[in-house]
């Protein structure tokens, strides 16, 4: 279940209640007249099955509550209520399969920002991958895969393609380009320093068969990226963060960036090209699979969405226009 807190202008509260009373999967409705101070209005608290939340939010948006009031959504970790269980049973489908589109939209938008934390995590992950390539150490490479924060931006491109949102696509692509450019540049400088003090030489990458897969992309690299992209989007939309860790371990985006940085510092241009191609193949595969996964999810919920048996009464729309 999800818990929603709505602040509604008083002239629209009756319409909100009419909406909630007629909606499948809604229960535990509480009304506190005049309790809202900023913004002013009535406060309504209620629980909704995850499968029902999209339709409810859309109908609340039709009443212009985001502009004149407020809508907040949070997860319910534990609910001991037979009426809540009954409301959940009424809603079609399973909670893990439901996508709360507003929640997903806000999450990917946040993950597409170029912040100091994003750059720091990606740079540290790339440096760990570079050291893992040099040793070589598969443990370090796996650790770097888990640490990399790039999947949020990949999911942002997929969601932007689904919504045909050029701004979101541009923001996500910008985050990936800037993030990997900074990470590779910093790692390359560090590798040059290692070379200057004699810690590494142009032959330091020779004979490392364990990590050669990073610079030799093939059909399996693309298939793995497709599988990881689909699983990654499912893990984000279903809130399964543990599954997302497995996705990070599956793809070689960060290891490819680390390998490219070291190869660039050592002048091994063939390896630089192979690493860049590997990086591009992984990102492209994840974007394609992520977009297809979101398309399937949108089709499913548009076909089997919840019912709202009673529409808001007519004067709700008049009230919306007056505001």
């Amino acid at each position: 279940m999800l818990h929603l807190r709505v602040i509604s202008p008083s002239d629209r509260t009756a319409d909100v209640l009419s909406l909630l009373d007629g909606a499948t999967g809604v229960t535990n409705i509480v009304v506190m007249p005049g309790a809202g101070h900023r913004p002013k209005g009535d406060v309504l608290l209620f629980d909704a099955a995850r499968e029902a939340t999209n339709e409810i939010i859309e109908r609340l948006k039709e009443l212009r509550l985001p502009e004149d009031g407020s809508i907040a959504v949070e997860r319910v970790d534990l609910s001991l209520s037979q009426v809540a269980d009954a409301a959940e049973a009424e809603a079609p489908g399973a909670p893990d399969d439901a996508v709360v589109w507003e929640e997903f939209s806000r999450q990917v938008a946040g993950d597409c920002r170029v912040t100091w934390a994003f750059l720091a995590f990606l740079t540290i992950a790339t440096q760990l991958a570079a050291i893992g390539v040099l040793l070589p150490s598969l443990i370090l490479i796996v650790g770097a895969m888990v640490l990399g924060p790039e999947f949020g931006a990949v999911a942002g491109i997929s969601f932007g393609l689904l919504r045909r949102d050029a701004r979101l696509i541009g923001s996500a692509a910008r985050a990936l380009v800037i993030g990997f450019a900074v990470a590779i540049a910093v790692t390359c400088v560090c590798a040059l320093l290692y070379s200057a003090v004699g810690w590494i030489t142009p032959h330091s990458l020779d004979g490392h068969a364990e990590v050669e897969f990073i610079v030799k992309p093939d059909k399996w690299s693309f298939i793995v990226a497709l599988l990881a992209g689909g699983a990654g989007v499912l893990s984000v939309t279903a809130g399964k963060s543990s599954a997302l860790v497995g996705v990070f371990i599956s793809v070689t985006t960060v290891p490819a960036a680390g390998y490219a940085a070291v190869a660039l510092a050592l002048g091994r241009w063939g390896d630089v090209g192979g690493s860049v191609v590997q990086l591009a193949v992984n990102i492209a595969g994840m974007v394609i699979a992520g977009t297809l996964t979101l398309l399937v999810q949108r089709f499913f919920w548009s076909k089997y969405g919840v019912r709202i048996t009673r529409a808001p009464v007519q004067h709700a729309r008049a009230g919306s226009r007056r505001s």
Side-chain angles (χ1 to χ4, degrees):
M1 300 291 288
L2 296 175
H3 180 70
L4 286 84
R5 183 187 70 247
V6 172
I7 299 179
S8 167
S10 299
D11 61 345
R12 270 167 269 177
T13 300
D15 303 321
V16 175
L17 284 173
S18 176
L19 163 67
L20 299 179
D21 286 338
T24 300
V26 175
T27 189
N28 297 334
I29 303 173
V30 177
V31 182
M32 295 182 284
H37 177 65
R38 186 186 298 173
K40 292 185 179 296
D42 302 328
V43 177
L44 297 93
L45 308 175
F46 60 95
D47 294 336
R50 185 178 177 87
E51 309 92 296
T53 305
N54 282 317
E55 183 67 20
I56 292 167
I57 290 177
E58 288 303 314
R59 297 296 289 273
L60 292 174
K61 288 168 67 176
E62 290 177 8
L63 294 172
R64 299 192 64 213
L65 293 190
E67 293 85 355
D68 304 324
S70 174
I71 303 173
V73 183
E74 58 187 13
R75 299 177 186 273
V76 177
D77 293 327
L78 177 63
S79 176
L80 303 177
S81 168
Q82 290 187 1
V83 293
D85 293 341
E88 172 62 46
E90 288 177 358
D96 286 349
D97 295 334
V99 183
V100 181
W101 293 109
E102 285 292 337
E103 177 187 43
F104 185 67
S105 175
R106 298 299 176 90
Q107 181 174 346
V108 297
D111 291 339
C112 293
R113 297 190 183 101
V114 182
T115 63
W116 287 111
F118 175 82
L119 294 175
F121 275 118
L122 191 53
T123 300
I124 293 171
T126 302
Q127 293 205 53
L128 285 173
I131 295 172
V133 165
L134 288 166
L135 288 180
S137 170
L138 292 178
I139 294 176
L140 276 179
I141 292 175
V142 169
M145 291 174 173
V146 175
L147 185 60
E150 74 280 3
F151 186 79
V154 172
I157 295 177
S158 296
F159 191 56
L161 291 171
L162 178 76
R163 292 283 183 93
R164 299 180 181 179
D165 186 343
R167 183 175 179 181
L168 179 58
I169 296 171
S171 176
R174 176 174 174 268
L176 288 174
V177 170
I178 293 177
F180 277 112
V182 170
I184 291 174
V186 172
T187 305
C188 182
V189 169
C190 291
L192 288 171
L193 293 175
Y194 302 153
S195 178
V197 297
W199 291 1
I200 61 175
T201 69
H203 302 288
S204 294
L205 295 176
D206 292 341
H208 293 178
E210 305 95 314
V211 296
E212 284 185 354
F213 67 93
I214 299 174
V215 292
K216 293 182 178 179
D218 55 18
K219 58 182 180 296
W220 300 113
S221 301
F222 186 67
I223 292 173
V224 168
L226 288 174
L227 295 173
V233 166
L234 285 174
S235 66
V236 174
T237 56
K240 301 292 186 181
S241 58
S242 58
L244 194 58
V245 174
V247 172
F248 292 155
I249 297 174
S250 301
V251 293
T252 52
T253 49
V254 168
Y259 206 122
V262 173
L264 187 64
L266 298 179
R268 299 174 62 113
W269 306 111
D271 288 342
V272 172
S275 300
V276 171
V277 171
Q278 180 75 272
L279 179 61
V281 165
N282 276 270
I283 291 176
M286 287 191 291
V287 167
I288 292 170
T291 304
L292 292 175
T293 301
L294 290 172
L295 279 170
V296 171
Q297 290 179 304
R298 186 175 68 174
F299 170 79
F300 177 83
W301 286 108
S302 64
K303 186 175 181 180
Y304 300 105
V306 302
R307 301 180 307 276
I308 292 182
T309 57
R310 275 188 287 165
V313 294
Q314 184 62 34
H315 74 266
R317 304 199 179 269
S320 296
R321 288 193 293 268
R322 286 197 301 271
S323 63

